[in-house]
Amino acid sequence: MLTDAQKKRWTWIGTGVAAILVLSLVWVSCNDNRGIPNGNTAVPTTETPGTTETVYELDIPAIEQKNAELSAEAEEGRLYGNLEVSDEREGYSGDGYVTGFDGDADNKVVVEIEVPATQHYDITLCAAADEEVRNTLLVNGEDIGEFTIAGKGEFLHVTFHGVFIEAGKARLSIEEIDGGLDLDSFTLTNNTDLYEISYEDAASQPVNADASPEAKALLRNLASCYGKTMLTGQYASSAQNQELELIHNITGQYPVIRFGDLGSYTDKDTENAEEIEAAIAWSRAGGVVGFMWYWTAPMEQGSVYADKTDFRLSKAVTGEDIAQLDPEELQELLDRRKISEECYALVESIDQVAGQLARLKDADVPVLWRPLHEAGGGWYWWGSDGADAYQWLWRLLYDRLTAYHGLNNLLWVWNGQSQDYYVGQAYYDIASIDVYLRADAEYGSRYGQFQWLYALTKGEKLLALSECSRIPDVDAIFRDNAVWSFFGLWYGDYLVGQDGTLNGKYISTDDLIKYYNSDGTLSLSEYIKMSQTSFSRAIMSTPSKMERLNKENNCFR
């Protein structure tokens, strides 16, 4: 059972030549209260922040692209604990394979490979198991990711794509989760796909042909920045903007994007206008507005979680064309039993949230609109009845809000977290993913997720990190050619402690200051300056943002 205080960990591995998404849950306590408290709306100060004047230049190592194909037998490595060499299972290479992964704390295998050049590599391990097992690959002590070996009793290959390794000795090892595997060998080859990623083909025009001038301008601005810098973003737990003010007090900068939630507007127990007012105020101050929708099930036992409500989306699905029907016409279909009560309740709830989005439209506020998030996980009711029902709902929502309600101020952010839940290029503007890791895990660039989304969207959409447990490593996103359009750091323990100061569990004061004043990110003050002139001209003429792309130590040409 997932609650608002229990966040997700998305770990990516490659199997063969295809990237596969593996979901594991990390139980994290956080102050994730979605109630909208009373209080005045806080907006950014107009004075120039003075907390820090330091600009942190990107530190990108020199990359030498070189063909390489290296291999090493596991049995030739150093073995510790209960590990031993065996030759009983057929299909191994070399003189045998390493067995004895039984969960003992002393178990360890270390295989060294001399890496000829500092670049990105694909690492393939060959292993077998009699039942499905999960374990972790480490390179030079760093957690690269979890992998699964199917319990087929034969040796199989698993590939991690685009792992950055510096020239010299690379130490490969396995950290046991389930154990239970026989390890045969490792192979390293130079990765080429990562260097071929291009940002130029991402759409800069909304899919909605009637998009408002403000929405068009916002997407153009994002496209102008894409691949050159990453926009900063933060979720606000209330209209008081506690998180955003804390960031400003520490770093001297505000995030560009203020993210909020519209769930309270369709929750029958709570309705509060402050989130909309806070968003309008943020836009008036020059910032970008983003909204998600924790959509309480519109009938039966109300909850966003599938295991907490009796509402079933599959009962609402209909072949009737209902997206542009008036309430009276919908009622007639209901009376004639052409649609179900669940279907009628869904549209009624959509119309409720449309009324709030219309307030933003009337105020000329464009919105990064991210509904129906994380559907592929199955824990929310909008994803738990399968991909077909979800896709029907997405298209109903899109058509109802755009064609019927005329909400042309929305830029649609798809966040399905699964290829099966993909809605098609014509129904969204930006693709995103949510990634939560343990507090002690290295967050890095999340290049694996970036590559997966890039392949899924064929490079034709902006890609964003819509929720994260910490800010991605800014140096690493440029090193790994995984420059997200923007990130959205979640609130609660991910940023703020019980006493209102920086928690420090997920991100340190030094890192927060560095990332908000980095050469590779865009803060609110910088965004406002660029908005006051031609945005594309501004981003291209800013040396600290562009000339680095031509430095000798940059790997992307």
Side-chain angles (χ1 to χ4, degrees):
M1 179 182 68
L2 293 171
T3 70
D4 283 340
Q6 297 166 336
K7 304 309 295 181
K8 290 72 60 184
R9 179 184 181 189
W10 291 90
T11 303
W12 289 72
I13 63 174
T15 300
V17 295
I20 292 180
L21 180 63
V22 175
L23 173 65
S24 61
L25 300 181
V26 174
W27 304 96
V28 181
S29 174
C30 65
N31 302 323
D32 193 2
N33 301 312
R34 288 216 168 267
I36 307 297
N38 294 324
N40 296 326
T41 296
V43 297
T45 57
T46 55
E47 62 187 32
T48 302
T51 303
T52 178
E53 296 180 357
T54 303
V55 176
Y56 291 82
E57 293 186 359
L58 289 172
D59 183 12
I60 304 173
I63 301 292
E64 180 186 5
Q65 295 184 48
K66 181 180 289 187
N67 290 332
E69 185 170 356
L70 314 166
S71 61
E73 295 294 331
E75 69 272 15
E76 295 177 359
R78 298 194 299 275
L79 308 184
Y80 303 90
N82 296 329
L83 301 187
E84 60 182 5
V85 178
S86 175
D87 60 3
E88 293 182 5
R89 190 188 298 272
E90 295 182 354
Y92 62 84
S93 60
D95 297 326
Y97 55 87
V98 175
T99 191
F101 290 95
D102 56 7
D104 189 284
D106 293 330
N107 288 347
K108 188 176 183 181
V109 55
V110 179
V111 176
E112 291 189 346
I113 297 181
E114 188 70 29
V115 175
T118 298
Q119 60 179 343
H120 295 81
Y121 293 88
D122 295 338
I123 303 177
T124 299
L125 59 89
C126 181
D130 294 323
E131 59 184 31
E132 184 172 291
V133 295
R134 289 184 309 122
N135 293 284
T136 301
L137 172 67
L138 305 180
V139 176
N140 294 327
E142 180 182 343
D143 182 338
I144 301 302
E146 296 175 6
F147 64 93
T148 299
I149 297 295
K152 295 184 177 181
E154 59 187 26
F155 284 102
L156 303 172
H157 294 91
V158 174
T159 299
F160 292 80
H161 295 275
V163 179
F164 175 77
I165 307 177
E166 294 185 342
K169 277 186 170 42
R171 298 182 307 280
L172 280 64
S173 57
I174 301 297
E175 182 177 274
E176 291 185 65
I177 299 176
D178 297 331
L181 79 161
D182 292 338
L183 181 64
D184 182 33
S185 64
F186 294 98
T187 302
L188 271 68
T189 57
N190 59 296
N191 176 280
T192 57
D193 294 342
L194 185 148
Y195 301 105
E196 296 173 357
I197 288 176
S198 171
Y199 301 89
E200 297 178 357
D201 295 331
S204 60
Q205 293 294 321
V207 292
N208 178 8
D210 296 321
S212 68
E214 294 79 16
K216 290 179 179 179
L218 174 55
L219 190 57
R220 282 198 305 270
N221 289 352
L222 295 178
S224 294
C225 294
Y226 191 45
K228 307 176 185 72
T229 186
M230 179 173 60
L231 275 68
T232 51
Q234 176 62 48
Y235 283 85
S237 59
S238 76
Q240 295 175 338
N241 292 340
Q242 176 191 19
E243 295 79 9
L244 289 77
E245 292 300 332
L246 176 62
I247 291 170
H248 175 260
N249 291 339
I250 293 173
T251 70
Q253 306 290 348
Y254 284 104
V256 176
I257 310 172
R258 179 197 185 275
F259 291 104
D261 169 42
L262 292 183
S264 64
Y265 293 103
T266 50
D267 186 328
K268 294 180 176 61
D269 297 327
T270 306
E271 183 157 333
N272 193 305
E274 290 183 347
E275 262 302 292
I276 295 297
E277 292 173 349
I280 293 174
W282 190 259
S283 178
R284 293 285 181 266
V288 174
V289 170
F291 271 116
M292 63 189 300
W293 186 13
Y294 262 94
W295 187 359
T296 300
M299 60 183 296
E300 306 295 345
Q301 183 180 359
S303 176
V304 298
Y305 297 106
D307 61 354
K308 290 292 188 179
T309 180
D310 296 328
F311 182 82
R312 288 295 171 259
L313 177 58
S314 56
K315 294 182 179 180
V317 175
T318 177
E320 298 287 336
D321 187 2
I322 62 172
Q324 298 189 54
L325 297 184
D326 292 331
E328 295 79 9
E329 295 172 306
L330 290 167
Q331 183 65 54
E332 181 182 352
L333 287 179
L334 178 60
D335 293 341
R336 294 165 52 199
R337 297 186 179 180
K338 293 290 186 180
I339 61 173
S340 64
E341 292 183 2
E342 288 83 358
C343 182
Y344 184 88
L346 271 183
V347 180
E348 189 177 41
S349 188
I350 292 171
D351 290 348
Q352 277 186 297
V353 83
Q356 303 305 323
L357 292 169
R359 295 172 59 195
L360 297 170
K361 174 191 172 185
D362 293 342
D364 296 326
V365 176
V367 180
L368 294 173
W369 173 235
R370 185 173 65 98
L372 309 183
H373 63 290
E374 300 176 10
W379 42 76
Y380 298 124
W381 63 260
W382 53 81
S384 62
D385 274 4
D388 290 343
Y390 163 81
Q391 290 165 352
W392 172 85
L393 179 59
W394 180 279
R395 291 172 187 180
L396 170 64
L397 182 64
Y398 179 89
D399 290 339
R400 187 75 177 173
L401 294 184
T402 56
Y404 181 76
H405 287 287
L407 294 173
N408 298 322
N409 59 321
L410 306 180
L411 293 178
W412 289 72
V413 182
W414 174 74
N415 179 216
Q417 304 274 109
S418 167
Q419 183 173 349
D420 292 339
Y421 285 72
Y422 189 59
V423 295
Q425 302 281 74
Y427 284 91
Y428 74 98
D429 299 295
I430 298 168
S432 74
I433 195 164
D434 300 348
V435 183
Y436 288 85
L437 302 184
R438 300 186 310 270
D440 60 348
E442 183 71 27
Y443 201 88
S445 66
R446 310 322 305 164
Y447 64 86
Q449 288 92 334
F450 190 94
Q451 288 179 302
W452 178 79
L453 271 180
Y454 184 87
L456 181 63
T457 63
K458 302 177 182 178
E460 296 174 358
K461 300 288 185 177
L462 301 181
L463 307 181
L465 197 56
S466 45
E467 289 183 33
C468 51
S469 54
R470 65 168 295 162
I471 300 171
D473 186 314
V474 179
D475 294 330
I477 67 172
F478 284 92
R479 181 198 70 191
D480 298 338
N481 203 15
V483 185
W484 302 96
S485 174
F486 57 82
F487 68 83
L489 182 65
W490 198 250
Y491 58 81
D493 278 356
Y494 298 105
L495 183 69
V496 184
Q498 296 285 349
D499 60 358
T501 63
L502 183 70
N503 181 289
K505 185 177 180 182
Y506 285 87
I507 189 166
S508 67
T509 297
D510 288 345
D511 280 348
L512 191 64
I513 292 172
K514 174 183 175 180
Y515 292 160
Y516 265 85
N517 292 277
S518 169
D519 203 20
T521 61
L522 204 63
S523 66
L524 178 60
S525 60
E526 293 173 311
Y527 184 85
I528 291 172
K529 289 176 183 177
M530 292 178 179
S531 298
Q532 292 170 346
T533 182
S534 170
F535 211 92
S536 59
R537 186 168 68 248
I539 193 72
M540 292 301 294
S541 63
T542 306
S544 63
K545 300 295 181 187
M546 288 304 300
E547 287 184 0
R548 65 167 183 270
L549 300 180
N550 296 320
K551 290 180 181 178
E552 290 182 359
N553 69 342
N554 196 324
C555 55
F556 308 117
R557 294 181 264 277

